[in-house]
Amino acid sequence: MTGVYYSFDIPAALHQQLKDTMTSSSSSSSSSATFTNCSTDTGGTCTHHDDESSFSMKFNLLYSVYSIPNIFLPFFGGTLVDSVGPHTAALIFASLTLGGQFLFALGTSYRNWNLMLLGRTFYGFGGESISVATSTLNHEWFQGKELALSFGINLAVSRLGSVVNDFMSPRVANEYGVDVAMLLGVGMNCMSVCMTLGICGLTLWRKKGGGGNNIVGYDAVGDTSDSLMEPLLSINDNNGSGDDNGSLIVQEENVKEEPNGGEEQDEDGDVEVNPLNLSSREKDDENDGGDRENGESETSTVMVCNTITMEIAPLEGGTTGSSTDPITNTCMGHIVQFDVMFWLLCLSCVVVYGCVLPFNNIASGILLERNYFTDPPQDCHLQHDDMCSMGDLAPEEGNMAMDSHGDTCVLNQYMRPIIPSSIHIYASNVDNKTISDDWVNDSYVFDHLTENDLDCGDAFWRNACTADYCAAQKMATEKSGRVMSIPYLFSAFLSPLFGHFVDRIGRRAILAVVSCVLLVSVHLSLACMSSSPVVPLVGQGLAYVGYAAVIWPSVPLTVRKESVGTAFGAMTAIQNVGLALFPLLIAFIYKGGGNRYIPNVEYFFVICASMGVLIGILLNILDRKRGGILNKASF
């Protein structure tokens, strides 16, 4: 999972480097880079390239096309896991992510957006479903006291992949080029496939009885129809676990009603509760066929929603065999009967995750624009406007930045250095040929040079002409990468603790509102203030962890038992509708704001978080009228 998360977040960490690569003249296949107004040829080739708004749209599409398959896959991913076994399914999904990252790296190398988007689509087919397979493996290998711990470790290690990417990818891209950074992602996915092959080998070895006793609860490899009834959930009244996407894999067993509300007790009479339990089912079904007798044991029957019909799957201790006769209710029929509280949870999930995950996609760009690569004073210009600013081709006496009064411009360390307004340089005219050996093009002719024309991966800009600009960009991108990792660091280390905390105190609906209020303050401060982003991003991390710890555990409390799996699938699908649309909307806002993220994009996130506050208030009102089930403690 570390490799999967690492490669998923590569575009976010390399926002500026991808912008340089895909919009600069150096991305042209021509050996000459000659730009006037793209209307007059000055002897080279006038090549059209992406402007900032076009890049923003295509960049955000990299995340939209990833989410589109996952609008539908939550309903089918578990079916494949049931059919071929979780270890084989994990290998299939890991291979899809490897193929997707390879296509993405190939598209980046050829500067081909279509190939890059195709690769991200393939990545989407495997990137989310592999969580279902790994959750099933956790359930089968560690059911018992270690189950919760295994899920917590799995989540932490997965998110650490994103953190390592934020640190590594900008540094590798700056030192060795974007193509090498992409290939490193391919290598991380190869590692994931190799680890999955090891899991397959270990599973088959244990199936044959190797190493002594078989894995606890692993009597038949691949036969998980009773333990994974749904892509995201198998219902259990005892133990539950989940990741930050709300995926749950839980064992279902016979349930014996006890005076404490249906929770099992250990030998000492204490209630057994999983420390990462994501649901409390103290409340009996209102329509379960009547009151139960005193202490009488009953067998639960779960309706399994597959791709076509719903089937009755008897549990252990029930009648032998399984009924596969279709019943009249379909998955869609189940969904339309969900209560208004469930749909409010879904709407809350869309808007709140809409200001968390899409923010991370563009966090590097926001931090560069706001803090670490800011605009210089407008009246600053180079002393020699048509000559290189710093490097092998700069004037020997230097090329200072001057203001309109002829005084030296004072630029702080986080301001973009001034670049020439025009240059006309040919490699053939350079006396020292060793200088031009690594240049991408033979000529650099720009009547109106802009920052979009620069590509610091090209030795011409990096060493010969704008060395100061490229050095400042290198420092800024690596700094922003480290800072943007803060929310995921909190997610990696605090999620298990928050889950246990919420189980003990309840207050799920209240904490959802608190998390959204915190998000409002975070994005308002990013939009309206110019202070350090560290404190707001700490707030973003806390809000993210807190919200994830309460929103997914609330789902089983708002639907009937036999609908929980379908509910998780529906909520995940609806979430991915938002994650597919929001990046495109952000690209439109960016373009309408003059190709700037601050403040309009941040205001969009404020609106999303504010909607989360309003929805949370409605949830609390409804919950209070219905007995406060969302705000009750699990134990």
Side-chain angles (χ1 to χ4, degrees):
M1 293 300 294
T2 301
V4 172
Y5 275 68
Y6 180 98
S7 293
F8 170 77
D9 283 318
I10 282 180
L14 297 183
H15 183 277
Q16 182 63 43
Q17 290 87 342
L18 282 173
K19 182 179 177 181
D20 288 349
T21 300
M22 302 305 294
T23 65
S24 74
S25 60
S26 297
S27 65
S28 168
S29 59
S30 171
S31 62
S32 299
T34 304
F35 281 71
T36 57
N37 295 317
C38 277
S39 60
T40 305
D41 194 334
T42 60
T45 303
C46 184
T47 309
H48 175 75
H49 58 84
D50 291 335
D51 59 17
E52 286 193 57
S53 57
S54 176
F55 168 79
S56 178
M57 177 61 69
K58 292 174 182 177
F59 176 86
N60 282 283
L61 269 173
L62 295 175
Y63 287 95
S64 292
V65 297
Y66 173 91
S67 295
I68 288 173
N70 293 295
I71 297 173
F72 311 101
L73 285 179
F75 297 105
F76 307 110
T79 304
L80 179 60
V81 175
D82 282 341
S83 300
V84 302
H87 55 291
T88 304
L91 181 60
I92 293 171
F93 297 139
S95 299
L96 283 172
T97 60
L98 172 59
Q101 178 61 22
F102 177 77
L103 288 175
F104 181 61
L106 194 64
T108 305
S109 179
Y110 284 100
R111 314 302 187 246
N112 188 315
W113 278 109
N114 292 331
L115 192 55
M116 293 166 68
L117 293 169
L118 178 63
R120 292 291 289 184
T121 304
F122 269 94
Y123 208 92
F125 276 102
E128 294 295 312
S129 295
I130 195 172
S131 296
V132 177
T134 55
S135 296
T136 311
L137 286 168
N138 273 346
H139 166 66
E140 293 179 336
W141 285 25
F142 298 101
Q143 55 181 308
K145 292 184 178 179
E146 297 90 358
L147 182 60
L149 178 62
S150 71
F151 272 94
I153 293 174
N154 184 56
L155 171 59
V157 172
S158 298
R159 275 304 177 201
L160 283 176
S162 298
V163 174
V164 172
N165 166 69
D166 289 339
F167 277 81
M168 288 288 296
S169 289
R171 182 179 294 272
V172 172
N174 289 333
E175 294 293 335
Y176 305 104
V178 172
D179 294 345
V180 175
M182 294 296 174
L183 289 176
L184 180 58
V186 175
M188 294 293 289
N189 285 108
C190 284
M191 180 193 70
S192 296
V193 171
C194 291
M195 295 298 102
T196 310
L197 284 171
I199 290 172
C200 290
L202 179 61
T203 301
L204 296 175
W205 177 62
R206 296 301 292 265
K207 180 183 178 182
K208 294 177 181 179
N213 295 331
N214 286 335
I215 301 169
V216 176
Y218 206 83
D219 296 328
V221 176
D223 185 13
T224 61
S225 59
D226 288 337
S227 63
L228 182 63
M229 295 299 184
E230 289 294 333
L232 296 178
L233 180 73
S234 293
I235 302 168
N236 182 356
D237 290 275
N238 304 327
N239 299 326
S241 300
D243 60 15
D244 63 334
N245 293 323
S247 301
L248 301 180
I249 303 300
V250 200
Q251 185 184 19
E252 176 160 14
E253 298 174 354
N254 295 339
V255 179
K256 182 175 181 179
E257 290 299 312
E258 300 289 349
N260 64 5
E263 294 175 324
E264 288 192 1
Q265 297 182 351
D266 61 17
E267 296 177 357
D268 299 326
D270 297 329
V271 176
E272 289 185 356
V273 183
N274 191 299
L276 282 182
N277 186 24
L278 292 186
S279 63
S280 69
R281 299 183 176 85
E282 309 92 349
K283 190 174 180 181
D284 289 337
D285 238 12
E286 296 177 359
N287 300 315
D288 61 355
D291 297 331
R292 294 189 172 100
E293 301 296 334
N294 295 333
E296 181 180 354
S297 176
E298 273 196 354
T299 299
S300 301
T301 301
V302 175
M303 294 187 180
V304 181
C305 179
N306 62 17
T307 57
I308 302 175
T309 65
M310 295 186 66
E311 303 170 353
I312 302 298
L315 304 180
E316 182 183 352
T319 58
T320 58
S322 62
S323 171
T324 56
D325 295 331
I327 61 178
T328 55
N329 290 331
T330 62
C331 293
M332 187 57 65
H334 233 196
I335 291 174
V336 297
Q337 295 177 12
F338 287 154
D339 186 77
V340 63
M341 288 185 68
F342 169 78
W343 296 113
L344 285 175
L345 287 174
C346 289
L347 186 57
S348 175
C349 182
V350 169
V351 297
V352 176
Y353 274 93
C355 63
V356 173
L357 300 182
F359 169 80
N360 186 73
N361 300 345
I362 58 172
S364 178
I366 290 176
L367 294 177
L368 289 174
E369 178 184 312
R370 181 184 183 274
N371 297 99
Y372 302 125
F373 209 49
T374 60
D375 295 334
Q378 292 185 353
D379 63 342
C380 284
H381 61 279
L382 292 178
Q383 185 177 7
H384 305 286
D385 237 2
D386 59 349
M387 302 180 70
C388 293
S389 58
M390 182 179 290
D392 298 326
L393 301 180
E396 292 183 2
E397 67 277 11
N399 197 357
M400 301 291 295
M402 314 293 290
D403 61 19
S404 57
H405 301 291
D407 298 324
T408 301
C409 277
V410 179
L411 305 178
N412 66 42
Q413 62 175 330
Y414 293 129
M415 281 185 180
R416 295 195 307 271
I418 309 298
I419 64 172
S421 60
S422 65
I423 57 171
H424 298 78
I425 297 175
Y426 298 87
S428 58
N429 295 336
V430 176
D431 295 332
N432 187 351
K433 298 303 180 184
T434 59
I435 294 176
S436 59
D437 285 345
D438 296 329
W439 294 3
V440 173
N441 297 303
D442 295 330
S443 62
Y444 295 82
V445 180
F446 296 86
D447 285 349
H448 302 283
L449 182 67
T450 68
E451 290 164 357
N452 287 337
D453 298 319
L454 275 61
D455 176 10
C456 290
D458 183 350
F460 170 79
W461 303 109
R462 185 178 65 250
N463 299 325
C465 194
T466 55
D468 54 341
Y469 181 93
C470 289
Q473 180 179 282
K474 177 178 181 292
M475 180 189 69
T477 53
E478 293 175 10
K479 176 78 171 180
S480 64
R482 293 191 296 270
V483 173
M484 68 182 281
S485 70
I486 291 174
Y488 282 160
L489 273 172
F490 276 83
S491 175
F493 292 109
L494 294 184
S495 291
L497 296 177
F498 265 66
H500 184 62
F501 175 73
V502 171
D503 278 341
R504 285 195 170 275
I505 71 165
R507 307 293 188 270
R508 297 173 186 84
I510 295 174
L511 289 174
V513 175
V514 172
S515 296
C516 294
V517 170
L518 184 55
L519 285 172
V520 171
S521 63
V522 164
H523 292 287
L524 271 177
S525 66
L526 290 175
C528 303
M529 301 172 64
S530 58
S531 58
S532 170
V534 172
V535 172
L537 289 183
V538 168
Q540 174 96 349
L542 291 173
Y544 177 37
V545 173
Y547 185 79
V550 300
I551 190 66
W552 299 103
S554 299
V555 173
L557 307 178
T558 62
V559 299
R560 292 168 57 90
K561 274 186 180 180
E562 62 268 24
S563 305
V564 175
T566 304
F568 273 105
M571 188 166 176
T572 303
I574 293 170
Q575 178 196 27
N576 277 283
V577 171
L579 295 179
L581 294 178
F582 281 15
L584 303 181
L585 183 57
I586 289 170
F588 280 114
I589 296 173
Y590 176 83
K591 181 179 180 180
N595 295 329
R596 297 187 67 84
Y597 291 112
I598 305 295
N600 292 348
V601 172
E602 281 297 335
Y603 285 149
F604 169 75
F605 293 138
V606 170
I607 292 172
C608 288
S610 300
M611 292 177 63
V613 173
L614 295 177
I615 295 168
I617 293 173
L618 288 177
L619 275 172
N620 277 277
I621 294 173
L622 287 176
D623 184 55
R624 186 173 182 180
K625 291 180 178 179
R626 301 185 183 190
I629 185 67
L630 293 182
N631 285 320
K632 286 182 179 178
S634 297
F635 57 91

